[in-house]
Amino acid sequence: MIIINDLDVQFGKRILFQDVNLKFTPGNCYGIIGANGAGKSTFLKVISGEKDPTRGHITMAPGERMSVLAQDHFAFDEYTVLDTVLMGHDALWKIITEKNAIYAKENFTDADGIRASELEERFAEMEGWNAESDAASLLSGLGIRESLHGNLMRDLSGKQKVRVLLARALFGKPDNLLLDEPTNDLDLETVAWLENYLANFEQTVLIVSHDRHFLDSVCTHTVDIDFGKLKLFAGNYSFWYESSQLALRQQQQQNKKAEEKKKELEEFIRRFSANVAKSKQTTSRKKMLEKLNIEEIQPSSRRYPGILFSPGREPGNQILEVKGMSKSIEGETLFRDLNFNVERDDKIVFLSRDPRAMTALFQIINGEDKPDAGEYKWGQTITTAYLPLDNARYFNSDYNLIEWLSQFAADTNEVFLKGFLGRMLFSGDELLKKVNVLSGGEKMRCMISRMMLKDANTLVLDTPTNHLDLESIQAFNNTLVNFKGNILFASHDHEFIQTVANRVIELTPNGNIDKITEYDDYISDPNIAALRDKLYGTA
């Protein structure tokens, strides 16, 4: 349990939030949401003690242990993978190291024997004999194979380190668990494993994440940082989003009577409760809406970018044909003998356990790379807009935002360009900002703007939610659902895939799978699972 009393956090004259009084209780998972810069990560750092609040204090129940997902990927480079995980339980690790040091002595005294006996007793009380197997199980669940458990952390890739640090945070089932962006660099299968793990976690969890499906799957409550305040709501992210949008629509309908608004909100809550009861979400085990005060639902101050793709012409029947295509990188086969035809209205998600496969395919069909074998052909009526995984080459200039966007616009009138950028949440002095100093999220909004100007009828998107905040992801997602054209994309965002894709093509080194189906049905089909394992050589 975590109790927060009279908390203020202020940097100079800027107040992030103030007068925060909250209690986080065991058995619940709290999703922390807010616009970029609202203070989500800072809030977790204050709770963990990494940063001091301006005012107020934070307490836990006596004897409780807190665990935090470490952000420094180099802090444990001199330790083995397994030891790094064991170190997540500080008290147990101290016992292990002291015990080992005593047994390593050449001159073992009576005092050493007494101390070793005391340590062994405490070690047993903490179930220390199961520690290594528990740590190994966590690592395996997160995709770190057993052959790596004895390796030094410095020998691991960045993505592997992320998984080890996550295992370290989860190890020992802490009483209070703080996770800042835990799904970063995890593939969809590992995210599903983490969702299941947290669904059965009976302690207190606080999470910051931009993954909506993850938040919906694990969170019983939502903490919204807005208007310089923190407000706690029963329910997951989708409930918060839908209810805030409903409240906004009601606010805009000034002539609607208060009683009508109340009935509309009550009906919304009833419908949402029914959906939750039928879902697989962890929220179904909580009566999360029973105590909801209807008056607490209010519009958010969040701003959503105006993302809209309008095809300049209707596509014909010939979209894209790929024949016998294969690609390898440094001797590793990414995919082989790939054959598919894109049909009208296809919105295809491409999957692979090796993300380089999708990037390679997209680069080939956009003319940026060549296949080892095979060919592709676009239809004559097709116009494409491509969002690459790496956009760095587009921003190597001293152009400001207006100058940058004018390169891609048929209408270079400054008023038009300012209005267009305004829809993407750039305004005022931001318009004169040099593009080479933009943040990752700002660059993505620029790249999306560039795509919108193309009026393309086919979109090729390589991991489009990278660096975007929840508001931009939601707006992007919504417009793609309604897009009257074709989409070829790769993503780590479950919700994005489920709501956009109507076809799945999975690329493997030993063959490919092509199914017209929704993503949830694809990953839950045991026959497809068996075929996937066979093609990846893990059957």
Side-chain angles (χ1 to χ4, degrees):
M1 177 166 41
I2 301 171
I3 302 171
I4 300 174
N5 293 116
D6 301 323
L7 184 74
D8 292 358
V9 175
Q10 182 174 346
F11 297 110
K13 294 183 179 180
R14 186 187 174 210
I15 299 173
L16 277 185
F17 35 78
Q18 57 187 357
D19 299 324
V20 179
N21 291 277
L22 293 172
K23 181 187 288 187
F24 301 116
T25 55
N28 290 309
C29 180
Y30 302 85
I32 316 297
I33 64 171
N36 279 357
K40 303 183 292 294
S41 294
T42 299
F43 182 59
L44 293 190
K45 288 176 180 177
V46 170
I47 292 176
S48 69
E50 184 178 339
K51 286 186 180 293
D52 293 326
T54 307
R55 182 178 73 94
H57 55 275
I58 297 152
T59 57
M60 295 189 297
E64 286 192 345
R65 184 170 72 89
M66 178 180 289
S67 184
V68 181
L69 176 59
Q71 301 296 318
D72 184 351
H73 294 180
F74 305 98
F76 305 96
D77 276 0
E78 302 308 313
Y79 295 92
T80 68
V81 168
L82 192 64
D83 283 351
T84 298
V85 177
L86 294 173
M87 291 166 70
H89 194 320
D90 187 58
L92 178 61
W93 179 250
K94 286 178 179 176
I95 290 172
I96 291 172
T97 52
E98 186 180 353
K99 189 161 63 81
N100 290 343
I102 290 175
Y103 290 140
K105 286 185 175 183
E106 290 185 9
N107 300 315
F108 191 85
T109 66
D110 289 343
D112 289 331
I114 293 171
R115 179 58 179 164
S117 177
E118 293 171 350
L119 291 171
E120 290 290 3
E121 185 176 352
R122 290 172 59 194
F123 183 75
E125 289 173 356
M126 293 184 179
E127 299 184 357
W129 298 113
N130 298 323
E132 288 196 4
S133 61
D134 289 345
S137 178
L138 282 172
L139 287 166
S140 297
L142 288 164
I144 302 297
R145 60 184 185 273
E146 192 172 347
S147 61
L148 294 175
H149 294 185
N151 288 15
L152 291 177
M153 286 286 284
R154 68 181 177 212
D155 297 327
L156 268 57
S157 68
K159 291 185 177 181
Q160 289 171 327
K161 284 184 177 182
V162 167
R163 295 167 187 236
V164 177
L165 294 177
L166 183 53
R168 179 182 182 275
L170 299 175
F171 177 66
K173 295 184 179 178
D175 303 288
N176 300 291
L177 179 61
L178 275 54
L179 302 175
D180 192 351
E181 297 293 356
T183 63
N184 278 3
D185 292 319
L186 300 185
D187 59 32
L188 287 160
E189 290 181 69
T190 309
V191 172
W193 178 91
L194 181 59
E195 287 175 359
N196 185 63
Y197 183 90
L198 293 176
N200 296 298
F201 192 79
E202 297 180 351
Q203 306 306 319
T204 306
V205 187
L206 276 66
I207 295 175
V208 171
S209 177
H210 287 151
D211 187 325
R212 296 161 299 159
H213 184 272
F214 181 72
L215 290 174
D216 280 350
S217 296
V218 303
C219 292
T220 59
H221 296 74
T222 299
V223 178
D224 182 30
I225 304 179
D226 204 359
F227 304 106
K229 302 288 185 182
L230 274 76
K231 294 197 70 174
L232 177 63
F233 297 93
N236 57 22
Y237 172 77
S238 285
F239 178 75
W240 171 86
Y241 172 74
E242 295 295 344
S243 61
S244 68
Q245 292 296 298
L246 175 59
L248 177 61
R249 291 193 296 272
Q250 289 192 340
Q251 186 185 68
Q252 293 167 344
Q253 298 169 343
Q254 296 293 342
N255 59 340
K256 183 171 282 193
K257 294 179 182 179
E259 190 59 34
E260 290 178 4
K261 290 183 179 182
K262 186 173 181 178
K263 286 182 180 179
E264 189 175 10
L265 284 167
E266 288 174 338
E267 176 58 27
F268 166 75
I269 291 169
R270 276 195 294 272
R271 283 190 288 108
F272 191 89
S273 299
N275 290 338
V276 167
K278 295 174 184 176
S279 76
K280 300 175 184 177
Q281 299 164 359
T282 56
T283 46
S284 64
R285 64 193 168 98
K286 305 290 177 184
K287 295 181 179 179
M288 62 180 186
L289 302 177
E290 287 184 354
K291 298 180 181 179
L292 181 67
N293 181 354
I294 293 173
E295 304 303 322
E296 290 178 352
I297 297 177
Q298 62 178 342
S300 168
S301 70
R302 308 281 207 288
R303 296 170 63 212
Y304 293 81
I307 301 176
L308 181 64
F309 296 103
S310 302
R313 66 183 297 182
E314 189 173 331
N317 292 324
Q318 181 68 36
I319 311 295
L320 172 67
E321 183 180 16
V322 172
K323 287 184 177 180
M325 188 177 288
S326 300
K327 183 66 177 178
S328 299
I329 294 179
E330 298 177 348
E332 285 188 68
T333 301
L334 301 179
F335 52 85
R336 74 169 76 229
D337 195 27
L338 177 62
N339 297 278
F340 66 88
N341 271 302
V342 178
E343 307 292 338
R344 288 188 65 171
D345 300 321
D346 272 351
K347 295 180 178 179
I348 306 173
V349 60
F350 289 84
L351 306 177
S352 178
R353 291 181 182 173
D354 188 339
R356 296 178 301 170
M358 287 85 77
T359 296
L361 174 62
F362 294 159
Q363 287 175 336
I364 291 168
I365 64 175
N366 283 282
E368 295 186 355
D369 198 2
K370 293 182 178 180
D372 299 335
E375 59 185 5
Y376 69 94
K377 183 179 179 181
W378 289 104
Q380 291 185 349
T381 62
I382 302 306
T383 54
T384 63
Y386 175 38
L387 185 67
L389 178 65
D390 182 3
N391 59 36
R393 67 184 184 273
Y394 291 91
F395 298 96
N396 293 326
S397 74
D398 288 327
Y399 287 149
N400 63 39
L401 264 67
I402 297 173
E403 294 167 337
W404 185 87
L405 192 62
S406 69
Q407 301 174 95
F408 313 108
D411 184 350
T412 58
N413 181 283
E414 190 169 300
V415 174
F416 168 77
L417 294 172
K418 283 183 176 179
F420 201 90
L421 288 165
R423 284 170 49 194
M424 295 303 291
L425 308 184
F426 294 110
S427 60
D429 292 341
E430 289 179 320
L431 298 172
L432 302 177
K433 205 172 186 180
K434 302 296 185 185
V435 295
N436 54 14
V437 299
L438 296 177
S439 69
E442 288 170 330
K443 287 178 179 177
M444 282 296 287
R445 281 188 278 134
C446 283
M447 292 297 289
I448 295 169
S449 300
R450 171 181 172 272
M451 291 183 69
M452 288 193 290
L453 287 169
K454 283 179 168 286
D455 294 333
N457 55 30
T458 299
L459 309 179
V460 182
L461 312 170
D462 193 348
T463 323
T465 60
N466 271 9
H467 304 295
L468 293 180
D469 57 23
L470 277 168
E471 291 71 49
S472 297
I473 292 171
Q474 192 76 56
F476 204 172
N477 197 157
N478 291 347
T479 198
L480 292 185
V481 169
N482 299 308
F483 179 63
K484 303 300 182 184
N486 292 95
I487 304 173
L488 285 67
F489 73 105
S491 178
H492 296 306
D493 187 313
H494 187 124
E495 184 74 8
F496 205 88
I497 298 172
Q498 172 61 20
T499 53
V500 174
N502 55 24
R503 180 177 172 187
V504 179
I505 296 179
E506 185 154 3
L507 312 174
T508 88
N510 302 303
N512 311 288
I513 306 173
D514 187 346
K515 295 289 182 183
I516 298 173
T517 183
E518 290 189 347
Y519 178 66
D520 280 346
D521 292 336
Y522 181 85
I523 60 174
S524 62
D525 188 323
N527 295 321
I528 292 176
L531 177 57
R532 295 173 78 217
D533 287 341
K534 180 180 179 181
L535 291 174
Y536 285 113
T538 56

